Amino acid sequence: MGGPLGAIIGRYPSAAAAGGPGGDDADHPGGGGGGTASLGIIRHDRRCRDLAFLVLFAAFWVAMIVNSSFAFNQGNPLRLTYELDYKGNVCGDRHGDPDVHELEVRYWLDPNQVYQSGVKGSKANLADAKAICLMECPTPAPDGLNFVCDYPEGDVRLSVDDWINRDYNYFDVLTPDMRNSSLQLQGPCYPVIFPSVNVYWSCQYIARASNVSLTHWQQMGGVNIEQNMLIDKTIHKAIDARSAVLKRYVADIGKSWPVLIVCGALLPLFLSVIWLLMIRYFVAAMTWITVVLFNALIVSVTMFCYIKAGWLGNDPLTVVIGESDPYVHISGREISHLHVATVLMTVIMIIAFLSSIAIVRRILIATPVLKVAAKVIGEVQALIVFPVVPYFILAIFYMFWFSATLHLFSSGQVVRNDCSTDCCSYDLKLGKVNCDNCCGYSIHYTPHIGIAILFHLFGCYWATQFFMACSATVVAGSVASYYWARGEISHDIPFFSVVSSLKRLMRYNLGSAAIGSLVVSAVEWVRFILECLRRKLKLVGSAGESCFGKVSSSSSQCCRGCIDWTLMSVNRNAYIMIAITGKGFFKASVLATGLIMNNILRIGKVNVIGDVILFLGKLCVSLFCALFAFLMLDTHKYKSAHNKISSPLVPVLVTWGLGYTVAKLFFAVVEMSIDTIILSFCQDAEEHQGTAQYAPPLLMETLDEQGELQRLTQGP
């Protein structure tokens, strides 16, 4: 291990302390004398560590700011919700030509163009079909024929407001040439033959023509209009495309920002503090409360999934905005994804319930170790308040990050399509039919935008892990001060130890936190990329996959999970050794790994069940946040009009993730307290020939009750 820890922290004499650097600590011998109480805790041989990685982290922040600046400059979050008209305007955008800020629904004027774009082998594309922005989807007249006309301009002397007030119909003021052109489906006015419904701000045709309107059209001499089901399926295919669904999911995050603030920030803060206080004062009952509450919450969230999936009750998710014909059923990927999530939640609920039964008999093992953590929190009371500091830093970062995310996902360029379609339409500005301007507009995403998005996502994960690492290191330093002080500086502990630990982190160990968080982030992203590749390869070779291949795939997944768990555990213990010894990340990892390997059987039984209970506690907080998010998203505000979300799935998942992050931040107080106490105890016992000299009495008592004291105090 490279020398006794007591020499490093300066609490008792040793050969290493007397002869090594930092000999001033050795001038105050004695393990328990009052003369050593005034010594600073854990001050030996401190200097800045891992500076190169701190510089790398600073460069990363500069890159994040540059990346986000590009997003804010190029992005327009309206593109995530609304579509483009034939002029390249984003529906609902007041900066369009004309001003369409009140016109949010995209409507295709020519049903024949829609049909041609759906014909197999046709050169026509739906993106080139003529579409304009309206306030709502038009419906056929019950006793006549309605028209929807192009934006008024040129010889049509109407304002946009007058055009809207006339229900987009100025057929009665057209010249004879314009009327003849309209009867050829060349505009500027087009007949409303098919009913349509607002599906995510695009009017989807219902391939069921109005006989009255169609008869009037034919009597006026209009050209033949196709009535094939393709006009329905073509539009639905465009609305339900993967890219369109992804944009709507991202837009849902922006629309549900009040839910994220209440359920993803404020609620987990309140619940986490309550949980810490209950651990402090009701530790014996908290293990049982946590397990019961976890099962109740996971059942509740699963039931909400069943309700929104339409498998329970009569309030299923719908893709239609506003009122629609109850006999018209339109599905979507969002509904399919919700069905998959419901099945997955059902499986998780069953596994969680069976696992809870399996650990019931072992729950009592967690109580003693939680009592030790409660004792630490009682002595170092500032630990309950300290997580509020990284909480507010993360809150500010997440507000910036989510805003940049909305702009980054919408930062493509609006460009004119390169099409070879033969079509003609009446140009009101030119006053004649024009056949040279048939191509529509699309949003073009260059490859560098995809790279920018991946970097942005990675940056969020690294920044989160960094702040988590800093918080864990501060807590570990505070708890280590408590352990090795052995009550000698009790008047300073409630506040001084936390402040001192924070100062040491800021002065010496930010680089170590940067490399530790980078290692975790890099490994997680490599796992994510490999998992994506594995799934694609599995889809390609699913037909010929052998039994050996399936076993190998399952084994590799299991191994990756074990490696990930081991890495997280070593990382956490490395932060403890960084806080105590002041070593760099890699040296601290070696020290932590050696200590764990020498005491693997000693640490395991005491610590594992405690970690399980803490994990269930974090899940309780995050599941409660998810449940409350479901309730908020089920209100009228998020089920109709402008704020309608495409699915509660993504906002609830984001809320769950934020709730879990906040809970992890606060629960780290207990988690790191347990780990620091246990590691310090093992080191203490090793340095004193099997007899721990600095262990708190409560720790000795609880370990003795468990029958672990003898094993823990025996040498390896």
Side-chain angles (χ1 to χ4, degrees):
M1 295 291 295
L5 190 62
I8 295 176
I9 64 168
R11 299 304 304 156
Y12 54 86
S14 70
D24 51 45
D25 290 340
D27 295 335
H28 303 272
T36 61
S38 60
L39 285 173
I41 306 300
I42 321 178
R43 287 186 179 175
H44 179 81
D45 193 25
R46 291 276 172 175
R47 59 187 179 87
C48 294
R49 306 286 184 175
D50 301 316
L51 281 176
F53 295 102
L54 183 59
V55 173
L56 178 63
F57 188 68
F60 149 76
W61 270 102
V62 172
M64 279 285 287
I65 293 173
V66 172
N67 196 44
S68 300
S69 299
F70 162 79
F72 286 119
N73 184 50
Q74 298 293 328
N76 181 3
L78 285 176
R79 299 174 188 168
L80 300 174
T81 301
Y82 306 114
E83 301 296 339
L84 303 178
D85 66 5
Y86 78 96
K87 289 173 174 275
N89 300 315
V90 179
C91 294
D93 190 354
R94 64 176 61 252
H95 301 295
D97 179 24
D99 183 356
V100 293
H101 75 277
E102 294 181 345
L103 311 174
E104 299 167 334
V105 184
R106 176 179 58 173
Y107 176 73
W108 284 275
L109 294 168
D110 187 352
N112 280 1
Q113 278 188 325
V114 175
Y115 168 77
Q116 288 296 330
S117 64
V119 174
K120 189 174 182 180
S122 172
K123 294 182 179 180
N125 193 317
L126 187 62
D128 299 319
K130 193 166 188 175
I132 62 173
C133 302
L134 306 177
M135 293 185 69
E136 57 187 16
C137 295
T139 56
D143 55 358
L145 177 62
N146 286 340
F147 284 89
V148 171
C149 302
D150 197 356
Y151 301 124
E153 55 187 354
D155 292 336
V156 179
R157 308 296 183 181
L158 292 174
S159 67
V160 173
D161 290 336
D162 292 336
W163 173 63
I164 294 174
N165 292 333
R166 294 172 65 104
D167 289 332
Y168 325 108
N169 185 357
Y170 51 76
F171 185 81
D172 58 318
V173 301
L174 296 182
T175 63
D177 287 343
M178 292 181 183
R179 291 196 177 195
N180 289 334
S181 174
S182 297
L183 292 176
Q184 300 299 314
L185 287 181
Q186 294 178 350
C189 293
Y190 298 81
V192 180
I193 304 296
F194 298 96
S196 58
V197 293
N198 185 349
V199 178
Y200 298 132
W201 306 105
S202 290
C203 295
Q204 178 171 329
Y205 283 135
I206 306 300
R208 192 171 57 215
S210 168
N211 291 328
V212 174
S213 298
L214 188 59
T215 300
H216 275 77
W217 171 255
Q218 292 170 346
Q219 290 174 352
M220 293 175 66
V223 298
N224 180 56
I225 293 179
E226 298 289 347
Q227 302 180 52
N228 195 287
M229 285 291 293
L230 272 178
I231 66 168
D232 184 332
K233 295 179 179 179
T234 301
I235 294 178
H236 182 72
K237 184 178 179 181
I239 296 174
D240 207 37
R242 287 188 176 91
S243 58
V245 173
L246 176 61
K247 289 198 299 182
R248 289 196 292 269
Y249 278 156
V250 177
D252 288 344
I253 298 175
K255 294 177 183 178
S256 59
W257 66 264
V259 177
L260 300 184
I261 291 177
V262 173
C263 302
L266 300 179
L267 186 60
L269 171 64
F270 173 76
L271 294 175
S272 298
V273 172
I274 292 297
W275 199 91
L276 286 180
L277 291 174
M278 292 187 71
I279 277 288
R280 172 69 182 92
Y281 296 105
F282 306 102
V283 63
M286 277 307 295
T287 52
W288 298 102
I289 293 174
T290 300
V291 173
V292 173
L293 188 60
F294 166 70
N295 283 277
L297 286 171
I298 201 169
V299 169
S300 301
V301 172
T302 304
M303 290 303 101
F304 255 102
C305 289
Y306 270 87
I307 292 172
K308 303 313 295 182
W311 296 345
L312 189 66
N314 56 358
D315 187 27
L317 178 68
T318 175
V319 300
V320 177
I321 297 175
E323 298 180 356
S324 64
D325 188 339
Y327 297 101
V328 175
H329 175 71
I330 301 176
S331 61
R333 289 185 187 271
E334 288 88 348
I335 297 176
S336 301
H337 294 166
L338 195 55
H339 289 169
V340 173
T342 304
V343 173
L344 182 61
M345 282 301 301
T346 304
V347 174
I348 293 174
M349 180 182 66
I350 295 172
I351 294 175
F353 183 72
L354 296 177
S355 300
S356 299
I357 295 176
I359 67 171
V360 163
R361 296 182 62 185
R362 299 177 179 269
I363 287 178
L364 293 176
I365 300 176
T367 303
V369 74
L370 290 176
K371 284 182 178 179
V372 176
K375 175 67 174 176
V376 174
I377 295 173
E379 292 286 343
V380 192
Q381 297 171 6
L383 285 177
I384 298 179
V385 181
F386 168 72
V388 174
V389 176
Y391 166 83
F392 278 111
I393 296 175
L394 273 177
I396 295 172
F397 169 72
Y398 282 147
M399 285 189 288
F400 162 80
W401 187 85
F402 277 117
S403 178
T405 300
L406 296 177
H407 286 81
L408 192 57
F409 272 86
S410 61
S411 58
Q413 291 183 332
V414 177
V415 296
R416 195 174 190 89
N417 299 330
D418 184 13
C419 64
S420 57
T421 306
D422 295 327
C423 67
C424 299
S425 63
Y426 197 94
D427 191 323
L428 288 172
K429 288 185 176 180
L430 297 177
K432 64 178 182 179
V433 175
N434 183 10
C435 298
D436 299 329
N437 199 17
C438 293
C439 299
Y441 287 83
S442 298
I443 300 176
H444 178 63
Y445 292 92
T446 57
H448 79 271
I449 294 179
I451 297 173
I453 291 174
L454 289 177
F455 176 78
H456 191 67
L457 296 174
F458 175 79
C460 177
Y461 194 80
W462 188 9
T464 301
Q465 291 296 325
F466 174 78
F467 291 121
M468 291 284 188
C470 291
S471 179
T473 305
V474 172
V475 172
S478 304
V479 176
S481 299
Y482 163 81
Y483 181 92
W484 296 99
R486 200 167 61 177
E488 294 174 10
I489 54 169
S490 58
H491 62 284
D492 287 330
I493 280 179
F495 182 74
F496 175 77
S497 62
V498 176
V499 175
S500 298
S501 184
L502 179 60
K503 287 181 178 178
R504 288 193 297 271
L505 169 73
M506 299 296 292
R507 185 173 179 182
Y508 301 115
N509 301 122
L510 283 178
S512 300
I515 180 56
S517 55
L518 176 61
V519 168
V520 173
S521 304
V523 170
E524 287 294 327
W525 273 84
V526 169
R527 285 189 61 216
F528 172 75
I529 294 172
L530 291 177
E531 180 66 16
C532 292
L533 292 175
R534 186 189 68 83
R535 290 184 179 181
K536 286 189 176 182
L537 292 175
K538 185 176 180 181
L539 289 174
V540 172
S542 57
E545 187 175 8
S546 64
C547 180
F548 175 77
K550 294 179 180 179
V551 172
S552 300
S553 177
S554 301
S555 301
S556 63
Q557 282 185 283
C558 181
C559 291
R560 285 198 302 270
C562 293
I563 292 172
D564 184 51
W565 181 88
T566 303
L567 176 66
M568 295 295 287
S569 177
V570 171
N571 233 31
R572 194 170 65 191
N573 288 289
Y575 296 141
I576 296 174
M577 302 308 292
I578 288 171
I580 295 176
T581 67
K583 300 295 184 183
F585 175 78
F586 296 107
K587 180 64 174 179
S589 298
V590 172
L591 293 174
T593 303
L595 192 58
I596 292 171
M597 295 305 296
N598 289 339
N599 300 274
I600 188 67
L601 296 178
R602 305 173 178 181
I603 295 175
K605 187 176 179 182
V606 179
N607 207 14
V608 169
I609 298 299
D611 283 348
V612 171
I613 296 299
L614 291 172
F615 177 66
L616 293 181
K618 287 181 275 190
L619 288 180
C620 283
V621 172
S622 56
L623 285 172
F624 195 92
C625 295
L627 181 62
F628 206 79
F630 260 126
L631 292 172
M632 287 189 67
L633 293 170
D634 202 40
T635 58
H636 178 74
K637 178 180 179 180
Y638 298 104
K639 296 170 69 176
S640 62
H642 304 81
N643 283 326
K644 176 180 171 62
I645 58 173
S646 64
S647 170
L649 189 60
V650 171
V652 168
L653 283 175
V654 172
T655 301
W656 178 87
L658 291 174
Y660 187 85
T661 301
V662 174
K664 189 175 180 181
L665 199 62
F666 281 83
F667 280 49
V669 171
V670 178
E671 203 167 25
M672 295 301 291
S673 295
I674 293 173
D675 289 347
T676 305
I677 288 290
I678 294 298
L679 279 178
S680 298
F681 184 92
C682 293
Q683 183 67 35
D684 192 7
E686 284 189 4
E687 292 183 4
H688 292 89
Q689 294 76 45
T691 303
Q693 298 291 321
Y694 290 85
L698 180 59
L699 179 63
M700 303 288 287
E701 292 172 9
T702 53
L703 290 176
D704 189 46
E705 290 173 4
Q706 291 294 318
E708 295 289 333
L709 181 59
Q710 183 177 358
R711 288 201 310 161
L712 281 169
T713 54
Q714 287 176 349

